Amino acid sequence: MFNNLDLYWSGFLRSLGIIGWSLVGSLLLGTLIAAFRVSPVASLRAFGSAWVTVIRNCPLTIVLFFMAFGLPEIGINIDFYWFGVVGLIIYTSAFVCEAIRSGINSVSAGQAEAARAIGLPFTQTLTQVVLPQALRATVPPLGSVQIAMFKNSAVVGAFGVGGDLWQVGQTLTSARGFAYIPVLTGVAVGYLVITLSAGALLAVIERKVAIAR
């Protein structure tokens, strides 16, 4: 492990890239789907409900297989790295959606009614009145969802995105013949650094939110 720190470091940075893109993408997509689920438009509510039901009840590997092997059959060909990232975003967005929706439901109905009473349309009511309050309530569940996503990024690595921590472990054990225990210990340490750092940051954000309340 110590003789290949440069390889582990490059894999660590590659995994951080997957996590960073997936974090931003899943938050944006999940928030949009949550907005669909509480929309006054029936077709949007139906779409949001179907999205969450289907994605949440599919294993991550099925979503990734669909992205990596299904989309090329209909002419969509991009790098496996982006197939993996998009698949992880889609999968995580369903869980983000439900976390945010629970926060929206925790906001008093009087807040939305007051916004409508002064003439605000649904979009402004949601973005300017409801969501800012809802997001404070969803910090703990959103944090748990994202930390789970950080660990799920290892599954993305198994689909050949190349260069991430999982692939480093595969290279050192399969190609170079090193023992599994020390190699996978190094991989585990890398993911522990990511998840423990995220947990510490989440705790700080929770305290800030509690003070703001």
Side-chain angles (χ1 to χ4, degrees), residues 4-213:
N4 291 278
L5 286 178
D6 56 336
L7 195 58
Y8 278 112
W9 177 246
S10 65
F12 180 79
L13 294 179
R14 182 75 161 175
S15 291
L16 278 183
I18 295 172
I19 288 169
W21 284 112
S22 300
L23 172 66
V24 174
S26 63
L27 286 175
L28 292 175
L29 182 57
T31 302
L32 179 63
I33 300 299
F36 285 178
R37 294 214 64 186
V38 298
S39 169
V41 181
S43 58
L44 292 181
R45 289 199 307 272
F47 176 84
S49 180
W51 180 279
V52 170
T53 300
V54 172
I55 300 300
R56 286 184 72 190
N57 290 286
C58 278
L60 174 58
T61 50
I62 297 299
V63 176
L64 293 176
F65 268 115
F66 179 83
M67 296 298 300
F69 304 110
L71 293 185
E73 291 186 354
I74 59 174
I76 301 176
N77 292 286
I78 56 176
D79 189 270
F80 261 43
Y81 177 88
W82 294 111
F83 273 140
V85 168
V86 173
L88 193 55
I89 287 173
I90 290 172
Y91 181 78
T92 308
S93 69
F95 298 90
V96 170
C97 167
E98 289 302 274
I100 293 177
R101 189 170 72 93
S102 68
I104 291 174
N105 290 336
S106 71
V107 177
S108 170
Q111 298 284 327
E113 290 171 2
R116 287 194 294 269
I118 62 174
L120 292 182
F122 170 77
T123 304
Q124 286 184 299
T125 299
L126 183 66
T127 58
Q128 297 180 21
V129 178
V130 177
L131 270 182
Q133 299 177 71
L135 290 176
R136 289 181 180 178
T138 60
V139 169
L142 270 180
S144 298
V145 167
Q146 294 300 338
I147 288 174
M149 183 271 290
F150 296 169
K151 292 181 285 186
N152 285 337
S153 67
V155 181
V156 174
F159 277 76
V161 299
D164 71 313
L165 278 171
W166 176 261
Q167 285 295 313
V168 169
Q170 290 291 97
T171 299
L172 293 178
T173 54
S174 300
R176 301 189 185 182
F178 293 151
Y180 277 91
I181 291 178
V183 169
L184 294 182
T185 297
V187 173
V189 168
Y191 283 109
L192 278 173
V193 169
I194 294 172
T195 54
L196 292 177
S197 300
L201 178 60
L202 177 62
V204 172
I205 294 173
E206 284 188 48
R207 287 197 296 271
K208 294 290 186 182
V209 169
I211 292 171
R213 285 179 177 176

